[in-house]
Protein backbone atom coordinates (compact mmCIF):
# COMPACT_ATOMS: atom_id res chain seq x y z
CA UNK A 1 0.00 0.00 0.00
CA UNK A 2 2.91 2.33 0.62
CA UNK A 3 3.90 2.50 -3.08
CA UNK A 4 0.30 3.38 -3.89
CA UNK A 5 0.31 6.33 -1.51
CA UNK A 6 3.72 7.49 -2.75
CA UNK A 7 2.51 7.30 -6.34
CA UNK A 8 -0.69 9.16 -5.49
CA UNK A 9 1.32 11.92 -3.81
CA UNK A 10 3.96 12.39 -6.51
CA UNK A 11 1.98 11.89 -9.72
CA UNK A 12 -0.18 14.78 -10.78
CA UNK A 13 -2.91 15.19 -13.36
CA UNK A 14 -1.02 17.77 -15.40
CA UNK A 15 2.70 18.48 -15.87
CA UNK A 16 2.11 22.08 -14.84
CA UNK A 17 1.32 20.83 -11.31
CA UNK A 18 4.38 18.57 -11.03
CA UNK A 19 6.75 20.25 -8.61
CA UNK A 20 9.48 17.71 -9.33
CA UNK A 21 9.82 18.84 -12.97
CA UNK A 22 11.94 21.80 -14.01
CA UNK A 23 10.23 24.77 -15.66
CA UNK A 24 11.54 23.84 -19.11
CA UNK A 25 10.37 20.23 -18.70
CA UNK A 26 6.91 21.40 -17.61
CA UNK A 27 6.64 23.72 -20.59
CA UNK A 28 7.84 21.06 -23.02
CA UNK A 29 5.43 18.40 -21.73
CA UNK A 30 2.51 20.85 -21.70
CA UNK A 31 3.23 21.76 -25.33
CA UNK A 32 3.50 18.11 -26.37
CA UNK A 33 0.15 17.33 -24.71
CA UNK A 34 -1.50 20.32 -26.42
CA UNK A 35 -0.14 19.18 -29.81
CA UNK A 36 -1.39 15.63 -29.27
CA UNK A 37 -4.83 16.87 -28.25
CA UNK A 38 -5.00 19.09 -31.32
CA UNK A 39 -4.23 16.08 -33.54
CA UNK A 40 -7.08 14.00 -32.11
CA UNK A 41 -9.98 13.72 -34.50
CA UNK A 42 -13.62 13.57 -33.57
CA UNK A 43 -14.30 10.08 -32.14
CA UNK A 44 -17.77 10.05 -33.68
CA UNK A 45 -16.15 9.71 -37.12
CA UNK A 46 -14.57 6.35 -36.28
CA UNK A 47 -16.19 3.13 -37.38
CA UNK A 48 -16.19 -0.25 -35.65
CA UNK A 49 -14.82 -2.09 -38.67
CA UNK A 50 -11.88 0.27 -39.03
CA UNK A 51 -11.07 -0.24 -35.34
CA UNK A 52 -11.27 -4.03 -35.69
CA UNK A 53 -8.96 -3.89 -38.71
CA UNK A 54 -6.31 -1.94 -36.78
CA UNK A 55 -3.16 -4.04 -36.26
CA UNK A 56 -2.87 -2.98 -32.62
CA UNK A 57 -6.36 -4.27 -31.85
CA UNK A 58 -5.65 -7.51 -33.69
CA UNK A 59 -2.34 -8.02 -31.87
CA UNK A 60 -3.92 -7.39 -28.47
CA UNK A 61 -6.81 -9.71 -29.28
CA UNK A 62 -4.37 -12.42 -30.34
CA UNK A 63 -2.29 -11.99 -27.18
CA UNK A 64 -5.40 -12.11 -24.99
CA UNK A 65 -6.66 -15.23 -26.75
CA UNK A 66 -3.30 -16.99 -26.42
CA UNK A 67 -2.94 -16.12 -22.74
CA UNK A 68 -6.51 -17.26 -22.06
CA UNK A 69 -5.87 -20.51 -23.90
CA UNK A 70 -2.71 -21.15 -21.91
CA UNK A 71 -4.57 -20.48 -18.67
CA UNK A 72 -7.41 -22.80 -19.63
CA UNK A 73 -4.95 -25.53 -20.62
CA UNK A 74 -3.30 -25.21 -17.23
CA UNK A 75 -6.63 -25.49 -15.46
CA UNK A 76 -7.53 -28.59 -17.49
CA UNK A 77 -4.38 -30.26 -16.23
CA UNK A 78 -4.96 -29.08 -12.66
CA UNK A 79 -8.57 -30.21 -12.20
CA UNK A 80 -7.94 -33.98 -12.39
CA UNK A 81 -5.25 -33.61 -9.71
CA UNK A 82 -7.64 -31.71 -7.46
CA UNK A 83 -10.21 -34.50 -7.83
CA UNK A 84 -7.61 -37.13 -6.92
CA UNK A 85 -6.58 -35.18 -3.84
CA UNK A 86 -10.15 -35.25 -2.49
Amino acid sequence: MVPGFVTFYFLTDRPINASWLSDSERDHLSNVILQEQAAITDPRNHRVWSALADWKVLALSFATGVSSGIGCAGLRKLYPRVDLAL
Side-chain angles (χ1 to χ4, degrees), residues 1-11:
M1 287 183 56
V2 173
F5 287 116
V6 170
T7 302
F8 183 76
Y9 177 76
F10 280 107
L11 292 183

Side-chain angles (χ1 to χ4, degrees), residues 16-54:
I16 201 76
N17 299 332
S19 60
W20 44 273
L21 287 174
S22 69
D23 290 338
S24 62
E25 290 173 328
R26 274 189 232 134
D27 292 339
H28 173 70
L29 288 175
S30 296
N31 289 334
V32 168
I33 290 173
L34 288 175
Q35 289 173 358
E36 288 177 353
Q37 288 178 344
I40 295 174
T41 59
D42 187 7
R44 292 173 286 190
N45 291 336
H46 296 291
R47 300 288 179 248
V48 173
W49 294 114
S50 63
L52 291 176
D54 186 10

Side-chain angles (χ1 to χ4, degrees), residues 67-82:
S67 64
S68 297
I70 291 171
C72 289
L75 286 177
R76 276 182 266 157
K77 290 184 179 191
L78 174 69
Y79 282 143
R81 293 184 183 147
V82 171

